[in-house]
Amino acid sequence: MRVYLFIAAIAAGVTWLVTPLVRHLAIEIGAVGEVRARDVHTVPTPRMGGLAMLMGLTVAIVFASKMPFISGLFVGSSQAWVVLAGAVLICLLGVADDLWDLDWMLKLAGQLLISVFVAWGGVQIIFLPFGSLITASPSISMAITAFLIVASINAVNFVDGLDGLASGIVAIGGIAFAAYSYVIARSTPSYASMATLLDVALVGICVGFLLHNWHPAKLFMGDSGSMLLGYMITCASIIMTGHLDPASVHTSIYLPVFMPIMLPILVLFLPVLDMCLAIVRRLSKGQSPMHPDRMHLHHRMLRIGHSVQGAVLILWGWAALISFGSIMILFFRWQYVLVGMMVATVILAICTFSPYLMRRWLEMQKLEEPVAQCPRHSEDQKQLRGM
């Protein structure tokens, strides 16, 4: 565990140190987003923060490859380097979008090509949990893997609308999934896990960047960052399926591991929900699925009356509830987990709608005041008291 914490600290430290340099570079080359009608911020802010995250991720993985406890994961396997190569490509695609605002179809095509490259390099869903565990054909594995990566990339991209929101949600999901993969890895002789390594590095770069991205943000992650985060958390969940022996793990623990189709959705539930709602909303209006609007979940939170920081913290709470709830149900009795989740849901629901409920209560109070001050109403009250 200490080794993983050390790697997370390296990723966080490098990202934190490099972010001011990337900010300066973004300003110099013109990667500064203009304030648009759908934006929450009011001041032009440089983007391209994903480049700093990529540097932190690269240093952490290279450093991990030299550590005795983890170095064995790099021997005879190129998965880590394939993931890192894909991360570089997806980040560069995002940098291009941060600079030149690429057409959404061109960007989607680039994401798909990179996802296919990563799947072709060996990062694939090997088993499918339909009825019983079955081995997927290479073509089906590549297709499902590419679909999941592209979907997760765009889900995080959709939710990246408030300072610290996307990095915090991905960090929460990364912590939950890292804990799960670490517990699973304890059943192996070496205790080392590539999925855990990628998750802790992911959490590290999120935390390191978040220190500069909290409201008011000094630098936005841009598409270079949001696409990188969505890509990395999905690769980590997919890699887990390739490191377990079906004969060596009990079905009650093993079967959920082969839910790579579900785990990214559960860990990234809020981004995926926001993406699905946006696509349905835009298609119903005859618009492109990538047509921008101000109807995302974070926009609705601000419309209710939350501050930027308050909205981010509450959405973090929902992300933690779903991420940790979906993981804990695999290790604790579902009745206990269900009760805990119900209590947390009630608390979060009250926090979410409290500004709206408070505003409605104040409006009702204002409507009642004129009635209470009416002379006729006062006389009626006096007569009632005298009876």
Side-chain angles (χ1 to χ4, degrees):
M1 176 61 75
R2 288 177 294 181
V3 173
Y4 290 126
L5 293 176
F6 185 54
I7 293 171
I10 291 174
V14 172
T15 304
W16 178 73
L17 290 172
V18 172
T19 296
L21 302 178
V22 172
R23 181 180 184 274
H24 179 73
L25 175 64
I27 294 174
E28 288 294 321
I29 65 178
V32 179
E34 297 295 330
V35 179
R36 300 161 296 186
R38 69 179 186 272
D39 290 332
V40 175
H41 64 282
T42 57
V43 179
T45 305
R47 46 195 182 185
M48 212 168 72
L51 195 57
M53 295 181 181
L54 177 64
M55 293 180 184
L57 176 69
T58 302
V59 172
I61 291 179
V62 171
F63 195 92
S65 68
K66 306 300 181 182
M67 300 184 69
F69 175 72
I70 300 177
S71 60
L73 297 174
F74 295 82
V75 177
S77 175
S78 60
Q79 276 192 329
W81 306 120
V82 170
V83 171
L84 185 57
V88 172
L89 294 174
I90 205 72
C91 184
L92 291 178
L93 177 64
V95 168
D97 187 63
D98 291 338
L99 284 170
W100 302 301
D101 286 325
L102 302 178
D103 179 76
W104 72 270
M105 292 188 67
L106 178 61
K107 186 166 59 175
L108 188 63
Q111 295 170 358
L112 185 59
L113 287 175
I114 295 169
S115 301
V116 170
F117 161 75
V118 172
W120 176 77
V123 181
Q124 295 183 20
I125 293 175
I126 302 173
F127 295 92
L128 297 175
F130 298 146
S132 60
L133 296 176
I134 61 174
T135 303
S137 67
S139 58
I140 294 177
S141 293
M142 291 183 65
I144 296 177
T145 300
F147 172 78
L148 278 176
I149 293 176
V150 171
S152 298
I153 286 171
N154 287 284
V156 177
N157 191 20
F158 273 55
V159 83
D160 181 29
L162 296 180
D163 297 343
L165 179 59
S167 53
I169 287 177
V170 173
I172 290 169
I175 292 171
F177 197 76
Y180 177 56
S181 59
Y182 177 76
V183 171
I184 295 297
R186 289 174 66 87
S187 62
T188 63
S190 67
Y191 278 31
S193 167
M194 182 62 69
T196 308
L197 168 62
L198 295 178
D199 276 316
V200 297
L202 175 65
V203 172
I205 63 176
C206 287
V207 173
F209 183 74
L210 187 59
L211 297 176
H212 295 279
N213 190 235
W214 186 247
H215 186 75
K218 301 179 180 67
L219 176 70
F220 293 154
M221 69 171 63
D223 278 20
S224 58
S226 61
M227 293 199 300
L228 176 64
L229 297 185
Y231 164 83
M232 284 300 301
I233 197 167
T234 307
C235 284
S237 66
I238 291 172
I239 279 180
M240 178 175 286
T241 65
H243 287 267
L244 291 172
D245 179 12
S248 64
V249 186
H250 192 272
T251 304
S252 62
I253 299 178
Y254 176 73
L255 185 58
V257 175
F258 287 89
M259 289 287 186
I261 298 175
M262 293 302 299
L263 282 176
I265 298 175
L266 292 172
V267 171
L268 295 176
F269 180 80
L270 283 183
V272 171
L273 174 64
D274 192 33
M275 180 182 67
C276 293
L277 291 175
I279 291 174
V280 172
R281 181 174 64 248
R282 294 164 186 175
L283 290 178
S284 64
K285 295 179 180 179
Q287 299 172 336
S288 163
M290 300 297 177
H291 183 78
D293 59 28
R294 288 182 61 88
M295 296 296 290
H296 290 286
L297 293 177
H298 49 272
H299 290 133
R300 296 173 187 268
M301 292 288 289
L302 297 179
R303 197 173 297 119
I304 287 175
H306 290 286
S307 64
V308 172
Q309 297 96 325
V312 169
L313 290 174
I314 291 174
L315 289 173
W316 282 4
W318 284 110
L321 171 65
I322 298 167
S323 298
F324 287 100
S326 62
I327 298 301
M328 286 193 301
I329 203 169
L330 303 173
F331 300 102
F332 300 97
R333 296 187 62 176
W334 67 269
Q335 296 93 334
Y336 299 151
V337 177
L338 182 61
V339 170
M341 291 184 68
M342 290 176 63
V343 172
T345 299
V346 171
I347 295 173
L348 284 172
I350 293 173
C351 294
T352 300
F353 295 103
S354 58
Y356 172 77
L357 297 175
M358 181 63 68
R359 187 168 63 250
R360 292 288 296 174
W361 182 79
L362 292 174
E363 290 174 354
M364 292 177 62
Q365 290 294 107
K366 290 180 180 179
L367 289 175
E368 292 176 359
E369 286 179 0
V371 177
Q373 295 174 1
C374 177
R376 179 63 182 171
H377 177 77
S378 301
E379 292 177 4
D380 291 344
Q381 292 293 324
K382 290 179 181 178
Q383 290 178 3
L384 289 172
R385 284 195 295 268
M387 291 177 63

